Amino acid sequence: MDFSPHLGVILTACLLDALFGDPVYRLHPVRLIGALSLVGEQALFGVGLNGRFGGVLHWFLVVGGALAVWWAVRLGLALWHPWLALAWDCFIAYSLLCMRDLLVHGRRVLAALDDLPSARQRLSLLVGRDTEPLGRGGIVRATIESLAENLTDGVLTPLWALCLFGLPGLIIVKAVSTLDSMVGYRNARYGRFGWAGARSDDLVHWLPARLSVPLIALAAVPLGLHPWLAVRTAWRDHARLPSPNSGWSEAACAGALRVRLVGPTRYGGALRDYAYLGDPAWPIDLDAGHLRRALGLILLCSVLALGVGLGLAALRG
């Protein structure tokens, strides 16, 4: 594989992420995208464009604006020196990949399992559900579910978008994910306006979600887990969740670990009666050992995903 600036950006960003995790600074790209989304939403609602057409305009404003800012800064730096433009690309890619942080949050929950209030507080940084009612088993189960879901959203899609489509692909994916988190709700305000953000988020994650199944099965082999159960459970149970994508990786992880995940869950005090993923005979009251195995599984999946991504980058040339 010939070394290229594109490979340099990928490897540098992944190395920085592995060493330092997601950088925290005021002008982080995701924060800026969120601010642009809010300003655009207020402007469009202010002139009555609060339906689907306004939502599509909002989508182009946010995604196009994110790309324009990256490109304008890159162009200005390139006029000074090409290496400055390359450094800018590396920094933005590093800022938008967050593989390490997912594992760090999971490990923090694991470390706090003997102190349930602390474990619930750390879990709340990973999930949107109510954490107060959860005991140890529920905390472990919720953490594994978040790790499995974010394997697709937070690792596979951004990494493979960067590898296959370069930095513009990564920026589009992160902008779309930010839009979905801000306006992609089925409620009175966003049911129509957020349609473009929500549907595009479903689209960008569609293929990585399904490819997560063989990846999880492959990672399960050297860890002594259950690769065949990962495939079987994903195929059988993925549609039990309302999301068109998250069920694939969550069900595959349930099978690989041979545990039951999801089930009835409270959000804002309201109970959502989700079906369980996994066989009825599998355990539901999970412990620290289950979480350790899940963390090892997600770590190995991330390493394998990088290998796949470098192969995609080689095909891209």
Side-chain angles (χ1 to χ4, degrees):
M1 185 189 307
D2 293 333
F3 192 80
S4 67
H6 178 51
L7 283 175
V9 169
I10 297 169
L11 293 173
T12 300
C14 289
L15 178 61
L16 290 173
D17 179 73
L19 291 175
F20 305 112
D22 190 29
V24 179
Y25 57 99
R26 185 177 179 183
L27 298 180
H28 192 286
V30 173
R31 289 189 179 186
L32 295 179
I33 292 169
L36 178 59
S37 173
L38 184 58
V39 169
E41 175 191 334
Q42 292 172 343
L44 289 165
F45 270 71
V47 296
L49 292 174
N50 58 355
R52 282 195 179 183
F53 179 69
V56 171
L57 289 179
H58 181 249
W59 191 96
F60 280 104
L61 170 69
V62 173
V63 175
L67 288 169
V69 169
W70 160 71
W71 182 251
V73 173
R74 189 184 195 282
L75 189 61
L77 291 173
L79 293 176
W80 285 355
H81 198 285
W83 283 101
L84 291 176
L86 184 61
W88 167 251
D89 285 352
C90 291
F91 184 70
I92 294 300
Y94 160 51
S95 296
L96 294 179
L97 294 177
C98 53
M99 295 178 285
R100 175 189 168 109
D101 270 26
L102 177 62
L103 294 167
V104 166
H105 283 301
R107 290 181 184 128
R108 286 174 178 167
V109 175
L110 175 64
L113 280 179
D114 290 333
D115 179 1
L116 293 185
S118 178
R120 293 186 189 107
Q121 189 277 328
R122 295 181 182 189
L123 174 63
S124 69
L125 301 176
L126 270 173
V127 301
R129 73 186 65 186
D130 297 345
T131 60
E132 293 80 4
L134 298 179
R136 185 190 306 269
I139 290 170
V140 170
R141 193 169 67 251
T143 305
I144 294 174
E145 291 162 18
S146 181
L147 291 170
E149 179 181 4
N150 282 287
L151 174 66
T152 295
D153 297 355
V155 178
L156 303 186
T157 304
L159 176 61
W160 290 345
L162 172 63
C163 293
L164 192 54
F165 302 110
L167 201 48
L170 174 58
I171 292 170
I172 290 171
V173 162
K174 297 300 286 190
V176 164
S177 293
T178 304
L179 275 173
D180 181 60
S181 68
M182 297 192 71
V183 302
Y185 301 101
R186 295 179 180 177
N187 56 28
R189 180 176 178 86
Y190 295 123
R192 290 174 58 80
F193 185 81
W195 174 84
R199 296 292 75 76
S200 59
D201 187 72
D202 291 342
L203 180 63
V204 299
H205 297 302
W206 190 91
L207 185 57
R210 285 144 184 83
L211 293 177
S212 71
V213 177
L215 193 74
I216 291 167
L218 182 61
V221 175
L223 295 176
L225 299 176
H226 307 279
W228 168 241
L229 291 180
V231 175
R232 191 197 75 179
T233 308
W235 182 257
R236 185 192 65 192
D237 295 351
H238 71 272
R240 293 183 180 179
L241 297 184
S243 167
N245 295 323
S246 63
W248 290 95
S249 55
E250 290 191 51
C253 280
L257 297 166
R258 203 176 177 276
V259 299
R260 296 173 78 192
L261 298 178
V262 193
T265 307
R266 290 191 176 275
Y267 292 87
L271 182 65
R272 298 186 188 179
D273 194 20
Y274 294 138
Y276 284 101
L277 307 179
D279 289 0
W282 295 352
I284 193 173
D285 188 18
L286 308 185
D287 57 29
H290 293 106
L291 183 49
R292 288 191 191 94
R293 288 190 286 275
L295 286 164
L297 181 65
I298 298 302
L299 174 59
L300 186 51
C301 283
S302 299
V303 173
L304 293 174
L306 177 58
V308 172
L310 292 176
L312 293 174
L315 291 174
R316 179 179 184 266

